[in-house]
Amino acid sequence: MSTPSRLRLEVITPGGVVFRDDVDYVEAPAVFGYIGILPGHAPLLYQIRSGQLQYRQGEEQHYLAVHWGFLEVLDDTVTVLAETAERPQDIDLARAESALNRAKARLEEFGAAYDVDQAQQAVARAEARLKAAEAEAGAQS
């Protein structure tokens, strides 16, 4: 039995399909670090956190910002069910930087009435959005 040469990557949010195509490699932000997936990977179910999801198509690297959810590998299909996912071209950098600054300010406020976990998640989301957009821009140059 030969190993397939490609994977099917599907990134789905409650709002619909964000990405669906054949890829050569996927790297996702798992809870305990990034996980890489190549064709022929064993079945897997894993929780993901906020971060960059990277995929390769031929020689081109691409990125998505994903935020919390699950990743399943089954029969050379990688399915990501995420709370939110964004393509770099859909990210408003000024808005993401503003959100990051607001979230960091909330964390620094002494005795703030904000939920610390919620503020930390907001920081992680904003950082993932900025990093994905910057990585995609760098990969396309």
Side-chain angles (χ1 to χ4, degrees):
M1 187 166 128
S2 66
T3 302
S5 62
R6 302 208 75 192
L7 295 161
R8 182 70 167 177
L9 173 60
E10 298 179 343
V11 180
I12 303 166
T13 69
V17 176
V18 174
F19 180 84
R20 179 182 285 143
D21 204 353
D22 291 334
V23 301
D24 299 304
Y25 173 74
V26 176
E27 185 175 282
V31 172
F32 296 111
Y34 278 81
I35 181 170
I37 302 160
L38 289 166
H41 198 287
L44 173 75
L45 179 62
Y46 218 89
Q47 185 177 4
I48 61 169
R49 60 180 168 79
S50 287
Q52 298 179 73
L53 183 138
Q54 175 183 347
Y55 62 93
R56 188 177 69 231
Q57 291 178 305
E59 296 299 317
E60 295 181 7
Q61 300 286 342
H62 298 281
Y63 301 85
L64 298 171
V66 295
H67 312 290
W68 304 105
F70 294 92
L71 174 143
E72 177 190 57
V73 179
L74 188 62
D75 298 329
D76 289 304
T77 298
V78 178
T79 305
V80 176
L81 302 175
E83 184 178 301
T84 62
E86 295 173 276
R87 298 175 300 181
Q89 62 267 32
D90 297 334
I91 296 171
D92 180 338
L93 293 177
R95 186 171 165 231
E97 287 175 7
S98 176
L100 177 60
N101 292 334
R102 278 192 317 273
K104 283 183 175 180
R106 286 180 181 160
L107 282 175
E108 292 173 2
E109 288 181 23
F110 180 75
Y114 302 111
D115 181 344
V116 173
D117 288 336
Q118 195 172 31
Q120 288 172 334
Q121 288 177 17
V123 168
R125 266 193 312 275
E127 287 178 340
R129 295 174 77 214
L130 290 169
K131 288 178 183 176
E134 290 167 1
E136 183 75 18
Q140 301 307 313
S141 343

